[in-house]
Amino acid sequence: MEVLTQAEENYLKAVFKITENDDKAASTNAIAAMMSTSAASVTDMLKRLAGKGLLHYEKHRGVVLSERGGELATNLVRKHRLWEVFLVKMLDFSWDKVHDIAEQLEHVQSDELVERLDGFLDRPQFDPHGDPIPDANGKMAMRKQILLSSLDPKDQAVLVGVQESTNTFLQYLDKLKLSLGTKLQVVERFEYDGSMKIVLIGGEEITLSHKVCENLFVQKTK
Amino acid sequence: MEVLTQAEENYLKAVFKITENDDKAASTNAIAAMMSTSAASVTDMLKRLAGKGLLHYEKHRGVVLSERGGELATNLVRKHRLWEVFLVKMLDFSWDKVHDIAEQLEHVQSDELVERLDGFLDRPQFDPHGDPIPDANGKMAMRKQILLSSLDPKDQAVLVGVQESTNTFLQYLDKLKLSLGTKLQVVERFEYDGSMKIVLIGGEEITLSHKVCENLFVQKTK
DNA sequence: TTTCATTTTTAGGCTTGCCTAAAAAACTGT
DNA sequence: ACAGTTTTTTAGGCAAGCCTAAAAATGAAA
Ligand SMILES: [Mn+2]
Ligand SMILES: [Mn+2]
Ligand SMILES: [Mn+2]
Ligand SMILES: [Mn+2]
């Protein structure tokens, strides 16, 4: 089992995230942007990771993870999300504080630690932001979730995830009393700017901008 | 609050451990031995740490931690031992498996994490090897413990700590059914080689070599 | 006090991971 | 097709943290 540096692991995870949705190769610039580093540094590292067989690199063509690289990246995501669950469930952190800490904890090397942590937490399927946690074999639960912005008036739904999980967005949701599991109903849609008026079941009526509605995943309940 | 690299933190901890018992300066060679590295690398790093004001360095004279260096080292020891408690108490690791993992976890940077972990674990005073855990102010509980080797026949005592915590020693103790909290009584001392016959209260009679007796801390109960 | 072994430091070199500036390649629009 | 723009790579350099070999300082013994 190859041992990677934290820098190598972070690059793998960046490539994984960029390529996981659309199946195009990850570009040097996209990786540089995600890692807040220079394109030159990225090219440097991509060559090294390609040399270790963790990704396929062709000059000017971007990169795709190899099978092994994908496994390693998936395991990192698993560790990251498990630690986030630990921090929120056991240590009572709020969901906007856990990412940076998990970013460090994910690099701790010990398969037994991950396995025991997973058991201790009761093998959670989703992290505090609603993202699926890969199991020990790399499989993750798929959930048929849609964007809040795609709902119509009268639709009822439950909030199951956030697309973006920046601190400011999460804190804004807290202020609105919106958290995972919150049930809501659409009252009205304003076509002019795409904003929506919704009512929290057993709570207040609030208006959300289009941007917010595009960043909330829900499941329809009616 | 200065941020140190893992390497810098490990050097600080090594100096701390070497100087904590006797109050002489830590020698380059002693540090090199503890860190399994070359004396040249140690000299290199000592200069850098001295430059950051974390220790006092005089050529050919060894080093002593500065006040700030001592605070940082103590906090590292605190984190290391808290994580060990977590691994044993919450994740059910055996006491011989936790050191290497804690060696990584201790470097995670987040004061809030340490504080919450401490609370979650109910502010433990001792780690799984019986070593005291410094509190948030760096104070640690002092315990009047003595070496098993200093007991006389008929003395009763309880095992509260181990001097050495190598894997092989800890596993040997497991095999003997000796763990922290075990009550015992001295049956006989063999002056010839310093070995001792003891009886575990409610258990068997065993004979321990002098080396083992010199590595076990006990408190007399009678 | 001088010699010799041990300890420590210096010198020089290597890898990793980053940087900026410049060159090269790839796209875009006309 | 070619000029201009954008993206990517190359070149050269730097700091951290390690190494080995050689030099210098220290301390113990004769
Ligand atoms: Mn990370
Ligand atoms: Mn998350
Ligand atoms: Mn460490
Ligand atoms: Mn310990």
Side-chain angles (χ1 to χ4, degrees):
Chain A
M1 190 117 309
E2 57 276 74
V3 174
L4 303 184
T5 64
Q6 297 203 3
E8 289 171 328
E9 289 192 334
N10 286 333
Y11 275 96
L12 276 191
K13 220 177 48 162
V15 175
F16 181 83
K17 282 190 178 170
I18 292 168
T19 52
E20 76 176 328
N21 293 317
D22 43 55
D23 52 355
K24 292 174 302 191
S27 76
T28 301
N29 264 2
I31 298 167
M34 178 158 296
M35 315 249 327
S36 308
T37 189
S38 71
S41 301
V42 172
T43 302
D44 231 42
M45 180 61 94
L46 293 182
K47 286 181 185 167
R48 258 177 284 153
L49 291 173
K52 295 190 177 192
L54 300 177
L55 47 78
H56 304 292
Y57 169 67
E58 271 184 293
K59 269 189 194 176
H60 298 104
R61 229 129 274 261
V63 290
V64 189
L65 292 180
S66 68
E67 188 173 336
R68 187 72 195 119
E71 285 167 11
L72 291 170
T74 302
N75 193 239
L76 271 171
V77 168
R78 167 170 163 76
K79 293 199 281 181
H80 183 102
R81 294 180 181 167
L82 281 174
W83 279 117
E84 284 190 342
V85 173
F86 168 72
L87 294 172
V88 167
K89 286 279 159 55
M90 300 294 154
L91 301 194
D92 213 36
F93 271 94
S94 61
W95 68 346
D96 58 308
K97 295 278 167 43
V98 298
H99 184 79
D100 294 344
I101 301 176
E103 205 59 47
Q104 300 177 65
L105 286 164
E106 72 189 0
H107 301 292
V108 173
Q109 305 277 358
S110 167
D111 290 343
E112 194 175 356
L113 174 60
V114 180
E115 167 53 27
R116 284 175 186 267
L117 182 64
D118 190 29
F120 181 61
L121 299 173
D122 269 330
R123 314 217 175 265
Q125 303 224 45
F126 298 94
D127 86 357
H129 312 104
D131 293 315
I133 300 175
D135 68 17
N137 302 311
K139 297 251 176 301
M140 26 186 163
M142 253 323 225
R143 190 170 50 184
K144 53 167 189 5
Q145 60 189 17
I146 55 177
L147 289 177
L148 173 55
S149 56
S150 71
L151 293 185
D152 295 310
K154 298 250 169 60
D155 281 347
Q156 287 192 10
V158 55
L159 183 63
V160 297
V162 292
Q163 170 103 77
E164 183 192 316
S165 30
T166 57
N167 292 0
T168 49
F169 183 52
L170 296 176
Q171 284 158 18
Y172 177 53
L173 295 181
D174 282 344
K175 202 169 293 173
L176 294 173
K177 300 250 167 50
L178 270 172
S179 55
L180 297 197
T182 297
K183 294 185 185 63
L184 54 90
Q185 181 168 33
V186 177
V187 177
E188 208 176 344
R189 261 184 89 109
F190 305 104
E191 295 307 329
Y192 170 61
D193 62 355
S195 64
M196 295 172 92
K197 187 185 281 185
I198 66 171
V199 58
L200 307 186
I201 306 302
E204 333 174 13
E205 213 172 74
I206 55 181
T207 301
L208 303 175
S209 72
H210 182 62
K211 184 166 181 203
V212 168
C213 297
E214 288 268 83
N215 275 310
L216 294 176
F217 290 122
V218 298
Q219 282 184 319
K220 259 202 244 195
T221 53
K222 205 185 75 180
Chain B
M1 190 116 311
E2 56 275 75
V3 172
L4 303 185
T5 64
Q6 297 203 4
E8 289 171 327
E9 290 191 334
N10 286 334
Y11 275 95
L12 277 191
K13 221 178 44 163
V15 175
F16 180 83
K17 282 189 179 171
I18 291 168
T19 51
E20 77 177 328
N21 293 317
D22 42 57
D23 52 355
K24 291 173 304 191
S27 75
T28 302
N29 264 2
I31 298 167
M34 177 159 295
M35 315 249 329
S36 307
T37 189
S38 72
S41 301
V42 173
T43 300
D44 230 43
M45 180 61 95
L46 292 183
K47 285 181 187 170
R48 256 176 287 153
L49 291 174
K52 295 190 178 193
L54 301 176
L55 46 78
H56 303 291
Y57 169 67
E58 272 184 291
K59 271 190 192 175
H60 299 104
R61 227 126 277 256
V63 290
V64 189
L65 293 181
S66 68
E67 189 173 335
R68 186 74 195 118
E71 285 168 10
L72 291 170
T74 303
N75 192 240
L76 270 171
V77 168
R78 168 171 164 76
K79 293 199 279 182
H80 183 102
R81 293 181 182 166
L82 281 174
W83 279 116
E84 284 191 344
V85 173
F86 168 72
L87 294 172
V88 168
K89 286 278 160 56
M90 300 294 155
L91 300 194
D92 213 37
F93 271 94
S94 62
W95 67 347
D96 59 307
K97 294 277 167 44
V98 298
H99 184 80
D100 293 345
I101 301 176
E103 205 59 46
Q104 300 177 64
L105 286 164
E106 72 189 2
H107 301 291
V108 173
Q109 306 277 358
S110 166
D111 291 343
E112 193 175 357
L113 174 60
V114 180
E115 166 54 26
R116 284 174 185 267
L117 182 65
D118 191 29
F120 182 61
L121 298 172
D122 268 329
R123 316 217 173 264
Q125 303 224 45
F126 298 94
D127 86 356
H129 311 105
D131 293 315
I133 301 176
D135 69 16
N137 303 310
K139 298 250 176 299
M140 29 187 159
M142 252 322 226
R143 191 170 48 186
K144 51 166 193 4
Q145 59 189 18
I146 55 178
L147 289 178
L148 174 55
S149 56
S150 71
L151 293 184
D152 295 311
K154 299 252 170 58
D155 281 347
Q156 286 193 11
V158 56
L159 183 63
V160 297
V162 293
Q163 170 103 78
E164 182 192 316
S165 31
T166 56
N167 291 0
T168 49
F169 183 52
L170 296 176
Q171 284 159 19
Y172 178 54
L173 295 181
D174 282 344
K175 203 169 291 170
L176 293 173
K177 301 247 167 49
L178 268 172
S179 54
L180 297 197
T182 297
K183 294 186 184 64
L184 54 90
Q185 181 168 33
V186 177
V187 176
E188 207 176 345
R189 258 185 93 111
F190 305 105
E191 295 308 327
Y192 171 62
D193 63 356
S195 64
M196 295 172 93
K197 186 185 282 184
I198 67 172
V199 58
L200 306 186
I201 306 302
E204 334 175 11
E205 212 172 74
I206 55 181
T207 300
L208 303 175
S209 72
H210 182 62
K211 184 167 179 202
V212 169
C213 297
E214 289 269 81
N215 275 310
L216 293 177
F217 290 121
V218 298
Q219 282 184 318
K220 259 203 246 193
T221 53
K222 206 184 76 179

